[in-house]
Amino acid sequence: MEGDFIKINDWLSPLSWLYGIGVRFRNFLFDIGVLKSRSFDVPIISVGNITVGGTGKTPHVEYLISLLQKQVRVAVLSRGYKRKTKGFVLADSDTTARDIGDEPYQMKQKFPGVTVAVDQNRVEGIEMLTEQDKQLDVILLDDAFQHRYVKPGINILLVDYHRLIIYDKLLPAGRLREPLSGKNRADIVIVTKCPRDLKPMEYRVITKAMDLFPYQQLYFTMLDYEPMRLLYYKGTRAMADIKPDEHVLLLTGIASPRQLMEDLSPITPHLTPLSFPDHHSFTKKDIRRINEVFARLPQPKSIITTEKDAARLSDSGQLSDEVRQNIYVLPVKIAFMLDHEELFNDNIIGYVRKNSRNSILVKGKNDNKPQDSHRAGDGPRTISFRNN
């Protein structure tokens, strides 16, 4: 099977070459100013990737929300992938996942005091947000690394540890949406979903292979988990409370459940994965399959699903009573490795303060430390970010 996959990739390589020509030409037009990147007078932080599939964007955006929301007015702007609406939509307490997409809906549910909006045209979305709220201090762009019509003050590129871009190929032979040189636009690169036991040698190998410029920071993060909660009833439990003989059905509709599976496997030897495509809309047939697979599992048993999947399952009326009584939502968050959380936080907060329109925050503008001259291989360092 592996040999067949390699042959398929070889056959697709000419198509990847043609695809690369188109993407490089588009980037060239932005670089020389034929296509315009718009700057704004509000701090903008973009989080995204250059690959097809999930790299952990939502938990990283949620980390930024948690970091900033107590100090500044935060708005999140997403394109609202697979939503059933068009144009600009500002989320409120009655907004559903169908209105804005599962990931923005998840963020609005977790952070009800934060402004969440969707618009496929990010320039127009930013204009709408800043017109409606003159006091906004920072806008977080979700999944916008390749949306070059907006020029962010900080560009954060996420790279999945299990699918490192340095070993990947352009579509359709690989999963890269643009050439590897696209990483040069990033101010910060984060290798996500790292194993907890990542060895020092692996850090050094990845750092060297990423071949970043001195102006770029490199961080490593891993997935961390909060207590699970019942989706349809009240109740919580910790992952550590899963019984050794408990059979767990892991229900996911995300791009890359691999690290989640690896984190759950040491807790229970009875893990049954049931995976669907990313952002999958569960049909009646899918619901029947979930009911049937869970019914076949021996007792004791439970179901674990992600927050993103819960947004699409919560209004399903076809799940069996047994499933509804035993399905838990596992909140995911990120944790920085190598004790670099404080350095990351200081740089983000310093950038927002330096560029904020709020005079109270501007008083702290000197908190952002100057760029140093270290090589990328020396590890993360403090840098000065671009002004808007």
Side-chain angles (χ1 to χ4, degrees):
M1 178 63 72
E2 183 178 356
D4 292 340
F5 179 74
I6 293 173
K7 287 181 181 179
I8 291 173
N9 277 349
D10 288 341
W11 278 105
L12 292 174
S13 293
L15 296 178
S16 295
W17 181 77
L18 292 173
Y19 173 81
I21 290 177
V23 176
R24 288 185 177 92
F25 183 66
R26 177 180 182 270
N27 282 334
F28 173 72
L29 294 179
F30 275 106
D31 293 339
I32 65 175
V34 173
L35 296 178
K36 303 294 183 181
S37 296
R38 174 88 176 271
S39 295
F40 293 86
D41 63 353
V42 61
I44 295 177
I45 301 174
S46 170
V47 180
N49 58 25
I50 59 173
T51 56
V52 175
T55 52
K57 292 184 296 293
T58 300
H60 283 80
V61 173
E62 290 178 347
Y63 180 92
L64 291 170
I65 296 173
S66 298
L67 174 65
L68 295 168
Q69 68 171 345
K70 293 182 180 179
Q71 305 183 52
V72 298
R73 290 176 66 87
V74 180
V76 179
L77 180 62
S78 174
R79 63 172 172 160
Y81 184 63
K82 283 199 172 183
R83 62 186 169 120
K84 304 303 180 182
T85 57
K86 295 182 179 180
F88 179 84
V89 178
L90 183 65
D92 57 28
S93 58
D94 297 322
T95 303
T96 67
R98 291 174 60 87
D99 298 325
I100 59 175
D102 50 15
E103 292 166 339
Y105 175 81
Q106 172 184 318
M107 287 184 269
K108 186 62 178 177
Q109 292 297 303
K110 293 179 74 171
F111 305 97
V114 169
T115 299
V116 176
V118 295
D119 197 331
Q120 190 165 356
N121 187 318
R122 309 301 173 86
V123 171
E124 293 182 359
I126 294 171
E127 290 175 342
M128 292 289 291
L129 284 172
T130 53
E131 286 175 9
Q132 295 185 17
D133 189 350
K134 304 295 184 182
Q135 302 302 314
L136 271 182
D137 294 304
V138 60
I139 296 176
L140 307 178
L141 293 184
D142 176 33
D143 194 14
F145 188 82
Q146 291 190 296
H147 193 89
R148 297 194 62 183
Y149 289 100
V150 175
K151 186 177 182 180
I154 299 181
N155 224 352
I156 300 177
L157 174 64
L158 304 183
V159 177
D160 189 338
Y161 167 85
H162 299 286
R163 301 182 313 190
L164 292 173
I165 58 176
I166 50 180
Y167 305 124
D168 209 340
K169 295 181 179 181
L170 281 170
L171 290 168
R175 295 181 177 178
L176 289 180
R177 295 189 289 188
E178 66 174 287
L180 187 58
S181 59
K183 68 182 174 62
N184 298 341
R185 298 197 306 275
D187 300 293
I188 293 174
V189 178
I190 302 178
V191 180
T192 68
K193 302 181 183 179
C194 296
R196 295 174 179 271
D197 59 350
L198 195 63
K199 303 296 188 294
M201 177 60 72
E202 291 184 87
Y203 286 115
R204 292 193 290 270
V205 169
I206 294 174
T207 298
K208 183 176 181 180
M210 287 298 297
D211 191 28
L212 300 182
F213 287 101
Y215 61 81
Q216 297 176 293
Q217 291 186 359
L218 178 63
Y219 294 93
F220 296 83
T221 60
M222 63 182 183
L223 297 182
D224 206 354
Y225 306 97
E226 296 177 335
M228 301 182 293
R229 59 175 176 82
L230 284 167
L231 176 57
Y232 294 99
Y233 300 93
K234 292 184 178 180
T236 61
R237 67 185 299 201
M239 286 175 61
D241 293 335
I242 296 176
K243 302 172 184 177
D245 61 341
E246 185 172 338
H247 290 258
V248 175
L249 177 62
L250 179 60
L251 173 61
T252 60
I254 59 178
S256 179
R258 177 175 174 179
Q259 190 58 51
L260 179 57
M261 292 174 59
E262 291 183 1
D263 291 338
L264 282 170
S265 293
I267 299 175
T268 173
H270 309 292
L271 185 65
T272 302
L274 182 56
S275 301
F276 294 88
D278 196 19
H279 300 280
H280 182 70
S281 296
F282 294 100
T283 64
K284 291 182 179 180
K285 182 179 179 181
D286 297 329
I287 298 300
R288 287 197 300 270
R289 182 183 175 194
I290 294 169
N291 292 337
E292 292 168 0
V293 172
F294 188 67
R296 291 197 297 266
L297 293 181
Q299 295 285 359
K301 59 183 176 180
S302 60
I303 300 180
I304 295 177
T305 192
T306 69
E307 291 174 293
K308 190 165 75 170
D309 294 307
R312 286 174 272 114
L313 285 168
S314 58
D315 59 353
S316 174
Q318 289 80 36
L319 289 172
S320 68
D321 289 339
E322 185 182 37
V323 168
R324 294 170 69 89
Q325 293 169 8
N326 292 281
I327 185 168
Y328 287 87
V329 180
L330 178 60
V332 176
K333 60 182 181 179
I334 62 111
F336 281 84
M337 308 177 81
L338 301 174
D339 297 321
H340 284 147
E341 179 177 356
E342 185 175 353
L343 176 59
F344 178 86
N345 294 353
D346 287 347
N347 279 312
I348 296 296
I349 293 172
Y351 159 73
V352 173
R353 284 178 173 173
K354 182 177 180 180
N355 295 279
S356 176
R357 301 175 296 178
N358 185 329
S359 60
I360 296 176
L361 293 174
V362 171
K363 290 192 301 183
K365 65 183 180 180
N366 292 326
D367 291 354
N368 203 19
K369 301 179 180 67
Q371 178 177 334
D372 66 25
S373 58
H374 288 186
R375 296 290 300 171
D378 294 333
R381 65 222 144 275
T382 305
I383 60 178
S384 291
F385 298 111
R386 299 183 294 272
N387 292 336
N388 285 317

